Amino acid sequence: MEIQKNKPLDDLNTFGINVGAQYFAEVTSVDEFGELMQLEVYKTNKKLILGGGSNILFTDCVYGIVVKNSIKGISVVSETETEVIVKANAGEMWHEFVLWCIERNYAGIENLSLIPGLVGAAPMQNIGAYGVEIKDVFQELEAINLVTGESVKFNLNDCEFGYRESVFKNKCKNKFFITSVTFKLTKLSSPKAIYKFKTDYGDIKNTLSEMRAYDLSIKAVSDAVIQIRNSKLPNPKELGNAGSFFKNPSISKQQFDELVLKYPVMPSYPQRDDSIKIPAGWVIEQCGWKGKVVGNTGSHKSQALVLVNYGNATGKEIWNLALEIQKSVKEKFGIEIMPEVNVV
Ligand code: EPU
């Protein structure tokens, strides 16, 4: 196994931040990870597991060892007449996996089309878009304890999924190397399968009708999602970004009632626990940040929640902008917005 020293990470994070890792290893199989674990350089250094680099902001060089997960492979574990259990290894590109499912008419993740990143990173923050989260189709995942090397399975409960949350962002943070994720999907080719496409969120219905997709299909829903994402979210290959920089905050009913008197058009989503979710993009726009360029960085013109790198931004510059935005939202609305991106 090759251990690289002073490895540049600019191509390995979608913000395109130009930092280096002290040590770097790419792992293409579970056995290879086992080999890596035997090396002194692994045992004696701080570890950072990197997936697609699409939800991370590097504010400094990484001291220690960066391990890139490149374990590939997708397979059907079992199936019934109407359902299929599919296992995807953690190093598969998420969107490639979605396309693999669409080709086979396996439904459940078509709304999650075009999300950047790798399969292994998807459960970390319970990726979600257009009314679907991976917890809705999640079966289990396999992971290796970074210190003991023990293989562990996590089922749905073990993962403690929440909105952009999981056990891997909390008590299991930096403790596991996820090797595969298994999903339970619906076989639309089966006449007995019962499945309802999720088209209620945002612009999906409008986009489908603009596309003249009168017969709903898994491909049509995926194409609509791709069209919406392309119209709002900058392509990280063209403009460095990590999607939504902040999570949508939840506020109390009382705070909402006070705010809505002042801002009657404020969008809001009531939650089951009586709290109210407010789109961070809206409050950031109201604070005047949308489309604003600050040095080499800024808030995107089509979606204020996305911070971008216009060229040579450093991670610190982007982080400073994030702090400015956070402060102004707190001052104007009394709402604390928290990063969704992993800031290291
Ligand atoms: N809005 C504004 N101004 C903006 C952006 C949004 O007023 O600049 C308003 C919109 O008009 C709408 C509301 O905010 O009323 C929600 O906007 P949108 O549908 O674009 O979704 P979002 O809440 O901003 C979330 C996810 C996205 C996901 C979309 C679609 C989070 C933090 N973000 O964004 O996820 O694609 O919903 O489901 O939950 C990501 O995590 O990286 C990501 C892109």
Side-chain angles (χ1 to χ4, degrees):
M1 159 159 316
E2 192 198 353
I3 306 290
Q4 299 180 47
K5 273 190 186 170
N6 303 323
K7 164 85 174 173
L9 297 176
D10 48 338
D11 282 346
L12 297 171
N13 72 96
T14 59
F15 261 125
I17 303 295
N18 195 0
V19 290
Q22 192 181 6
Y23 300 104
F24 177 87
E26 185 165 5
V27 166
T28 57
S29 68
V30 171
D31 286 348
E32 220 171 55
F33 187 66
E35 281 170 36
L36 176 67
M37 287 193 78
Q38 302 307 314
L39 303 181
E40 271 320 290
V41 65
Y42 176 90
K43 287 186 197 163
T44 54
N45 277 290
K46 217 174 125 196
K47 302 139 194 58
L48 185 135
I49 309 297
L50 191 61
S54 55
N55 206 44
I56 195 162
L57 177 66
F58 290 115
T59 55
D60 203 349
C61 291
V62 185
Y63 298 96
I65 182 162
V66 170
V67 183
K68 165 107 174 88
N69 190 331
S70 293
I71 308 178
K72 299 259 197 300
I74 304 173
S75 56
V76 169
V77 176
S78 64
E79 54 191 310
T80 64
E81 201 177 338
T82 56
E83 278 180 344
V84 59
I85 306 291
V86 182
K87 176 172 162 174
N89 284 332
E92 286 289 338
M93 295 282 294
W94 173 261
H95 184 59
E96 297 285 320
F97 173 56
V98 173
L99 294 178
W100 187 96
C101 294
I102 289 172
E103 250 168 54
R104 287 158 184 80
N105 241 338
Y106 297 160
I109 53 174
E110 57 281 1
N111 292 43
L112 304 178
S113 296
L114 213 62
I115 294 185
L118 302 187
V119 165
M124 309 268 303
Q125 55 151 349
N126 180 26
I127 58 168
Y130 307 101
V132 175
E133 292 178 323
I134 75 149
K135 76 167 171 40
D136 304 333
V137 288
F138 178 89
Q139 182 79 4
E140 65 172 25
L141 66 77
E142 289 172 312
I144 300 172
N145 183 305
L146 290 181
V147 176
T148 64
E150 184 196 4
S151 287
V152 190
K153 281 189 178 176
F154 288 78
N155 66 22
L156 184 65
N157 281 337
D158 299 330
C159 288
E160 297 177 14
F161 288 127
Y163 164 63
R164 294 295 197 275
E165 281 294 344
S166 80
V167 76
F168 303 104
K169 280 178 96 175
N170 296 293
K171 67 176 186 247
C172 293
K173 192 171 173 170
N174 298 334
K175 292 205 165 88
F176 289 93
F177 181 71
I178 295 174
T179 53
S180 71
V181 189
T182 304
F183 302 89
K184 190 197 245 181
L185 303 169
T186 305
K187 282 161 74 173
L188 288 189
S189 54
S190 161
K192 287 200 181 151
I194 300 170
Y195 186 75
K196 197 171 171 316
F197 288 108
K198 297 192 183 60
T199 57
D200 289 338
Y201 188 99
D203 292 335
I204 296 196
K205 279 201 178 104
N206 288 345
T207 309
L208 283 165
S209 68
E210 275 165 24
M211 289 164 49
R212 298 175 194 275
Y214 302 118
D215 293 326
L216 266 191
S217 70
I218 182 171
K219 173 88 170 48
V221 174
S222 167
D223 286 347
V225 167
I226 289 174
Q227 193 163 316
I228 300 168
R229 288 189 74 98
N230 279 336
S231 71
K232 285 193 178 174
L233 299 167
N235 180 348
K237 287 192 183 125
E238 288 155 19
L239 194 59
N241 76 89
S244 304
F245 193 91
F246 297 98
K247 293 203 267 187
N248 287 332
S250 278
I251 60 173
S252 68
K253 176 85 176 60
Q254 190 192 341
Q255 188 178 6
F256 173 74
D257 289 343
E258 285 162 17
L259 280 173
V260 86
L261 289 175
K262 226 168 146 191
Y263 307 101
V265 295
M266 180 168 76
S268 58
Y269 312 108
Q271 303 295 297
R272 278 201 204 110
D273 62 359
D274 278 352
S275 65
I276 318 273
K277 202 180 266 181
I278 307 294
W282 188 85
V283 284
I284 294 170
E285 181 174 349
Q286 297 305 306
C287 290
W289 291 105
K290 191 172 186 172
K292 200 165 176 174
V293 179
V294 183
N296 296 311
T297 176
S299 151
H300 193 248
K301 62 177 180 347
S302 316
Q303 167 52 292
L305 192 47
V306 177
L307 304 190
V308 296
N309 174 3
Y310 284 110
N312 298 315
T314 61
K316 284 199 178 89
E317 242 178 309
I318 296 176
W319 182 229
N320 284 339
L321 173 69
L323 292 173
E324 283 295 312
I325 292 175
Q326 196 179 38
K327 194 167 137 225
S328 66
V329 169
K330 178 83 183 163
E331 275 165 16
K332 189 171 168 81
F333 293 95
I335 296 177
E336 191 125 30
I337 51 171
M338 300 304 287
E340 195 231 78
V341 165
N342 185 13
V343 182
V344 292

